[in-house]
């Protein structure tokens, strides 16, 4: 009898769900315990943005890991990781609007229009919205597999826009170490996809 993959264990998804909530729990606990440093608002906003990028990197890593490891069951975690990326992106936006701008919608709109790096972050969030809204089985069925796949290729664009938002934000302090790490990870993940597609296209033209 073939051994069942660990990734198919009934507890695998609940365990991942709990892991995805850990960063939020740490931030909320830190806020209540007054352990978020000298500027708790900035720590919250930046940490939520960091976890958005990490979630997007993990989401994009699922397919290469699935193919390289020969573990097709890994695909069952991609939707959850993608939705948690949207969750943290939404909290990042909410924290900025609330803690930085006092939920003044007019001021928020003015700030987005005035500061390009904020506009880049807001654009990345807007691009995430249709992906989150169509991540459910009914939406996939309604759109059809081909249109759904075409729509969800937006993840590559929005990830690059999100990275540009991060780089632009750190440019003010000439601190590019963290953006460089995310850039390298994304270059590897996107480069792997290009390499996988290149032979298929070359053969199709031959």
């Amino acid at each position: 009898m073939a051994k069942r993959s660990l990734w198919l264990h009934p507890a695998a998804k609940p365990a991942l769900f709990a892991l995805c909530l850990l960063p939020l729990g740490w931030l909320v606990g830190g806020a209540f315990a007054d352990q978020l440093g000298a500027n708790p608002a900035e720590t919250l906003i930046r940490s939520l943005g960091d976890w958005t990028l990490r979630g997007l990197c993990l989401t994009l890593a699922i397919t290469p890991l699935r193919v390289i490891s020969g573990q097709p069951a890994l695909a069952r975690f991609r939707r959850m990781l993608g939705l948690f990326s949207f969750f943290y992106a939404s909290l990042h936006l909410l924290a900025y609007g609330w803690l930085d701008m006092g939920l003044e919608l007019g001021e928020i709109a003015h700030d987005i229009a005035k500061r390009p790096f904020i506009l880049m972050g807001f654009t990345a969030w807007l691009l995430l919205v249709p992906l989150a809204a169509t991540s459910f089985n009914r939406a996939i069925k309604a759109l059809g597999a081909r249109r759904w796949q075409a729509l969800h290729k937006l993840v590559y664009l929005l990830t690059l826009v999100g990275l540009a938002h991060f780089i632009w934000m750190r440019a003010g302090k000439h601190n590019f170490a963290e953006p460089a790490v995310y850039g390298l990870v994304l270059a590897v993940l996107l480069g792997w996809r290009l390499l996988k597609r290149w032979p298929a296209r070359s053969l199709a033209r031959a």
Side-chain angles (χ1 to χ4, degrees):
M1 185 176 176
K3 187 178 179 182
R4 191 178 187 184
S5 170
L6 177 67
W7 307 114
L8 291 172
H9 193 282
K13 277 193 170 182
L16 179 62
F17 190 90
L19 281 174
C20 289
L21 282 175
L22 274 181
L24 180 62
W26 178 82
L27 287 171
V28 171
F32 277 104
D34 196 20
Q35 293 180 344
L36 294 184
N39 192 336
E42 183 177 307
T43 301
L44 274 172
I45 294 169
R46 292 194 174 184
S47 296
L48 290 167
D50 288 346
W51 281 106
T52 302
L53 264 179
R54 289 165 189 160
L56 288 169
C57 288
L58 287 171
T59 306
L60 288 172
I62 287 291
T63 297
L65 287 174
R66 175 176 60 81
V67 173
I68 293 168
S69 67
Q71 294 287 330
L74 283 170
R76 64 199 293 259
F77 305 112
R78 185 168 44 207
R79 182 187 316 188
M80 186 186 297
L81 289 171
L83 285 172
F84 264 105
S85 301
F86 177 68
F87 175 64
Y88 279 104
S90 299
L91 290 179
H92 176 58
L93 177 62
L94 177 64
Y96 151 75
W98 183 13
L99 302 174
D100 255 12
M101 310 301 295
L103 291 180
E104 294 287 342
L105 295 182
E107 291 295 321
I108 293 171
H110 179 71
D111 199 43
I112 289 172
K114 181 182 174 184
R115 295 201 286 175
F117 92 90
I118 298 286
L119 178 62
M120 296 289 276
F122 186 64
T123 301
W125 180 80
L126 284 178
L127 291 171
L128 259 174
V129 171
L131 305 195
T134 58
S135 63
F136 302 96
N137 292 338
R138 283 189 178 180
I140 298 170
K141 189 175 179 180
L143 279 173
R146 184 170 293 182
R147 279 186 290 183
W148 184 86
Q149 287 176 352
L151 175 65
H152 278 250
K153 286 179 180 174
L154 277 176
V155 69
Y156 306 125
L157 174 62
L158 76 89
T159 303
L160 293 176
V161 174
L163 179 63
H165 162 69
F166 190 37
I167 293 171
W168 210 323
M169 185 189 73
R170 290 298 174 92
K173 296 184 177 179
H174 302 287
N175 181 358
F176 297 104
E178 279 188 79
V181 172
Y182 287 108
L184 180 61
V185 171
L186 289 172
V188 170
L189 293 174
L190 297 180
W192 180 87
R193 282 169 167 77
L194 286 175
L195 287 174
K196 293 293 287 183
R197 289 175 63 85
W198 186 266
R201 287 190 171 183
S202 298
L203 288 172
R205 289 173 182 167

